[in-house]
Amino acid sequence: MNGYVRPAIDTPVFRDADGEVIPYGNRWPGSPPEETYSVDTHPERFAPLHAVADALIAYLRETFEIEVEDGVHVAEDLNSPSSFDVLRAVRLRPADPRCAPVTFVFDAYPGLSVHSGLLFDAHYPLCGCDACDEEWQTVAGELEQHVFAVVTGNFREAVVPDVELPVQHALTFPEGGASGQSRAEGFPPERLARAREVLGTVADGWEPWPRSQESLVGGA
């Protein structure tokens, strides 16, 4: 998105038992070894994600007409509590109610959960285990892509009646997209009821966030 620049971050280097640098993101030419599943050797490699989220929040505050609420209590926006201690949580709510809000939840893993709209949670990294072999730059790109899809109005949610997986979402990116479906049992009933009501007013998808007057004048 125009005006946003990912902060310069020194990539952490981690070594294996033989002293060799671990090439995260390129460790397994084929299937990962069985013993690497459910093993998380260096979760601290994802610490740069917090700096990326800070930069995203700062950019969004400067560029769009939004209300910002910073406090661990807004982590309650997540559909279920974080699996890790919450260090910080920030809710960004656009002035236009037809636009989807976004809540960033920073955790002690270190990673992030992002709640978008009314019902969609995403976690960065998704797993983090040695078998999945995620590295922070790729995960940061996925985080940015998600946030900017919401901001530009390329995010849809729906609660579809009489289907097995009624809670549905879709994100559209400049190249491709992502979507998913969930059972209703994973959501608080009162949240589902509100979503059915509100999403009826944005049936074609959430609207793009309104830009602030300052950014319009400055041409950001």
Side-chain angles (χ1 to χ4, degrees), residues 118 159 191-202:
L118 300 176
V159 182
R191 185 170 293 196
L192 274 178
R194 179 171 179 269
R196 288 189 183 97
E197 178 182 351
V198 173
L199 294 176
T201 68
V202 288

Side-chain angles (χ1 to χ4, degrees), residues 73-152:
H73 64 283
V74 301
E76 295 177 357
D77 289 353
L78 297 176
N79 295 310
S80 57
S82 174
S83 300
F84 306 97
D85 290 341
V86 173
L87 304 179
R88 181 188 178 202
V90 183
R91 178 193 294 144
L92 309 179
R93 186 180 298 280
D96 188 338
R98 297 172 301 168
C99 304
V102 172
T103 302
F104 294 81
V105 179
F106 299 68
D107 64 49
Y109 174 74
L112 291 155
S113 295
V114 178
H115 178 79
S116 304
L118 300 176
L119 298 172
F120 178 47
D121 287 352
H123 307 287
Y124 300 97
L126 180 61
C127 176
C129 79
D130 288 5
C132 288
D133 193 34
E134 293 180 276
E135 48 88 33
W136 78 265
Q137 293 98 327
T138 299
V139 178
E142 294 167 353
L143 167 66
E144 293 162 343
Q145 198 171 47
H146 167 176
V147 171
F148 291 138
V150 176
V151 167
T152 56

Side-chain angles (χ1 to χ4, degrees), residues 37-56:
Y37 289 90
S38 301
V39 175
D40 198 341
T41 308
H42 290 293
E44 65 271 25
R45 71 184 186 274
F46 296 110
L49 293 177
H50 285 191
V52 174
D54 280 334
L56 282 167

Side-chain angles (χ1 to χ4, degrees), residues 11-24 26-27 42:
T11 300
V13 174
F14 300 97
R15 299 180 183 274
D16 61 21
D18 297 323
E20 298 295 324
V21 173
I22 301 173
Y24 281 112
N26 297 287
R27 298 182 73 186
H42 290 293

